[in-house]
């Protein structure tokens, strides 16, 4: 039984590489260990715990937040029956569960659980601990996904210096604080601040990760998108195209990553008058994969509005109206940002003029 648990732990470690081959091997390990465990009359509770944990990590790495949330929630429940697990380990599971809730766009569950985790970490380790900082980063991300952008920026301003002190500026956690802050700054249309953060991320990541690293590609795509949203299309198209091409090379197996950078380039191409290129990119995009990646369940509205703009430029009013209707339905569930609201109104006005 101890050997089964160790193999399950190995599967967890393997899944954290995010590589497709490693994920497949991790799945095979978990299936094999579950098969072995089924032959044991009363298996020790650690087996059920680590099976759920392994499946949760694999689902998360596979961009399946729903599956991850179900498995980690199961693991949190199973952890109560494992005496060898201390309060810190149980809290780590709760932290992970809060993150899955956030990825699902369920802030009502994510925020209180994350604040509970922060309180526990503060009590166990003090206010300057590394694990506490990670939980505060999760809270920043939750606030961002809840469209509480001013609060997210304020929190990021408070914790970023501590991240640099504890982790260094090139660590992925430090870079993620800046990336999340940039997203909120862009939502607030603080374009210079958002662009400056993305430039800082790219400069640091190029030195530490090279041109095909995670933080050298996705945030660089965001930089291109923000430049175009700010009306700087010439530079934005150049940036977004470079990010898209590098993301294809680095993460061909991660459709959500590639689709996110494809959308940024398509948005820029529309503004730059490259309608055919934009249409081809949008035709390949799976909005759901981007929503799962970004925890933005309303991302499909962006894709619909972009398609509506293309349809208008091609003289296809009925298609534009159909895409507008799709965006409006999504915005009834997810409140649009001020930028999205103006974008919606611009498309709506253009359709009415062509009536």
């Amino acid at each position: 039984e101890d050997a089964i648990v160790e193999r399950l732990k190995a599967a967890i470690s393997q899944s954290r590489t995010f590589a497709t081959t490693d994920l497949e091997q991790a799945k095979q390990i978990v299936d094999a260990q579950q098969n072995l465990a089924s032959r044991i009359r009363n298996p020790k509770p650690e087996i059920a715990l680590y099976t759920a944990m392994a499946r949760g990590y694999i689902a998360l790495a596979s961009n399946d937040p729903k599956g991850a949330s179900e498995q980690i929630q199961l693991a949190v429940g199973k952890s109560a029956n494992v005496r060898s697990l201390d309060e810190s380990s149980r809290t780590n599971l709760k932290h992970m569960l809060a993150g899955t809730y956030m990825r699902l766009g369920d802030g009502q569950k994510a925020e209180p659980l994350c604040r509970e985790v922060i309180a526990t970490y503060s009590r166990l380790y003090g206010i300057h601990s590394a694990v506490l900082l990670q939980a505060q980063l999760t809270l920043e991300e939750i606030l961002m996904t809840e469209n509480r952008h001013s609060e997210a920026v304020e929190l990021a301003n408070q914790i970023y210096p501590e991240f640099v002190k504890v982790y260094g500026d090139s660590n992925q956690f430090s870079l993620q604080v800046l990336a999340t802050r940039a997203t909120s700054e862009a939502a607030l249309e603080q374009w210079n601040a958002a662009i400056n953060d993305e430039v800082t991320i790219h400069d640091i990541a190029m030195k530490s990760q090279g041109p095909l690293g995670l933080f050298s590609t996705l945030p660089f795509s965001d930089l291109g998108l923000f430049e175009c949203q700010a009306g700087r299309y010439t530079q934005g198209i150049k940036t977004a195209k470079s990010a898209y091409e590098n993301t294809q090379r680095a993460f061909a197996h991660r459709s959500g990553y590639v689709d996110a950078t494809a959308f940024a380039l398509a948005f820029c191409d529309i503004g730059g008058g490259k309608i055919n290129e934009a249409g081809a990119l949008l035709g390949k995009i799976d909005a759901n994969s981007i929503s799962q990646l970004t925890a933005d369940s309303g991302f499909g509205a962006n894709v619909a509005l972009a398609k509506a703009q293309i349809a208008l430029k091609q003289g296809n009013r009925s298609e534009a109206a159909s895409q507008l209707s799709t965006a409006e339905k999504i915005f009834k569930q997810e409140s649009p940002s001020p930028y999205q609201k103006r974008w919606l109104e611009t498309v709506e006005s253009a359709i009415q003029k062509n009536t």
Side-chain angles (χ1 to χ4, degrees):
E1 292 181 72
D2 290 340
I4 291 176
V5 170
E6 290 306 313
R7 292 190 194 103
L8 290 169
K9 289 180 179 179
I12 291 172
S13 297
Q14 198 162 15
S15 71
R16 295 171 87 166
T17 69
F18 289 86
T20 302
T21 54
D22 285 344
L23 286 175
E24 288 303 319
Q25 290 176 4
K27 291 176 185 177
Q28 292 172 10
I29 291 172
V30 174
D31 289 342
Q33 302 318 302
Q34 191 169 34
N35 183 49
L36 289 173
S38 67
R39 304 172 189 175
I40 302 172
R41 179 170 295 179
N42 292 305
K44 60 195 304 184
E46 283 86 350
I47 292 177
L49 168 65
Y50 285 101
T51 297
M53 286 178 62
R55 293 198 183 283
Y57 274 101
I58 291 169
L60 201 59
S62 302
N63 199 24
D64 177 15
K66 185 175 184 295
S69 185
E70 291 171 352
Q71 291 298 324
I72 298 303
Q73 190 170 9
L74 182 61
V76 169
K78 296 291 184 183
S79 68
N81 300 319
V82 178
R83 295 180 181 178
S84 61
L85 218 61
D86 58 18
E87 183 179 14
S88 176
S89 297
R90 291 190 178 93
T91 304
N92 292 343
L93 283 173
K94 290 182 179 180
H95 183 196
M96 189 175 177
L97 180 59
T100 66
Y101 287 151
M102 182 267 295
R103 289 278 301 277
L104 289 170
D106 192 345
Q108 291 186 337
K109 288 183 179 179
E111 184 179 353
L113 184 57
C114 187
R115 291 190 184 279
E116 176 190 331
V117 167
I118 288 172
T120 303
Y121 283 154
S122 298
R123 174 171 53 81
L124 292 176
Y125 301 111
I127 60 173
H128 299 295
S129 65
V131 289
L132 175 62
L133 286 175
Q134 292 178 31
Q136 289 174 317
L137 167 57
T138 300
L139 179 59
E140 179 199 359
E141 293 173 323
I142 291 169
L143 293 172
M144 182 267 290
T145 59
E146 290 185 309
N147 293 324
R148 292 158 61 184
H149 297 293
S150 294
E151 293 176 66
V153 170
E154 183 179 358
L155 178 58
N157 292 342
Q158 293 172 5
I159 64 178
Y160 180 65
E162 288 295 321
F163 269 86
V164 174
K165 189 183 301 181
V166 172
Y167 290 107
D169 64 359
S170 63
N171 181 273
Q172 62 175 344
F173 295 125
S174 301
L175 293 172
Q176 188 60 51
V177 173
L178 288 184
T180 304
R181 182 172 74 180
T183 300
S184 286
E185 288 165 338
L188 295 168
E189 298 184 54
Q190 298 173 358
W191 302 120
N192 288 337
I195 288 170
N196 286 340
D197 273 344
E198 297 292 6
V199 169
T200 298
I201 293 168
H202 189 253
D203 288 346
I204 293 172
M206 285 293 285
K207 294 176 183 177
S208 61
Q209 300 180 356
L212 301 184
L214 179 62
F215 283 93
S216 305
T217 50
L218 293 187
F220 199 47
S221 174
D222 289 340
L223 171 60
L225 177 63
F226 298 160
E227 287 171 334
C228 291
Q229 288 178 320
R232 307 171 195 178
Y233 286 103
T234 300
Q235 182 59 43
I237 290 172
K238 181 180 177 181
T239 302
K241 184 177 181 181
S242 176
Y244 175 60
E245 291 173 349
N246 283 339
T247 302
Q248 285 182 301
R249 285 196 286 270
F251 304 104
H253 63 287
R254 300 297 301 275
S255 61
Y257 289 0
V258 175
D259 285 353
T261 58
F263 174 79
L265 179 55
F267 179 92
C268 289
D269 279 346
I270 291 171
K274 298 181 177 182
I275 303 306
N276 292 335
E277 292 90 334
L281 286 166
L282 290 173
K284 301 175 183 177
I285 288 174
D286 177 4
N288 289 329
S289 72
I290 303 176
S291 293
Q292 291 175 345
L293 176 68
T294 62
D296 180 2
S297 56
F299 195 89
N302 294 334
V303 176
L305 288 174
K307 288 182 176 180
Q309 283 184 297
I310 290 175
L312 280 169
K313 291 181 181 295
Q314 294 174 334
N316 191 340
R317 181 184 169 280
S318 62
E319 173 63 14
S322 175
Q323 294 294 341
L324 176 66
S325 176
T326 297
E328 289 173 333
K329 289 176 183 177
I330 294 173
F331 284 144
K332 286 181 180 179
Q333 303 296 323
E334 302 289 335
S335 298
S337 68
Y339 185 91
Q340 289 173 316
K341 188 174 181 180
R342 287 202 307 278
W343 190 8
L344 181 77
E345 291 170 348
T346 298
V347 172
E348 190 173 32
S349 175
I351 290 174
Q352 291 174 351
K353 286 181 181 178
N354 284 276
T355 302

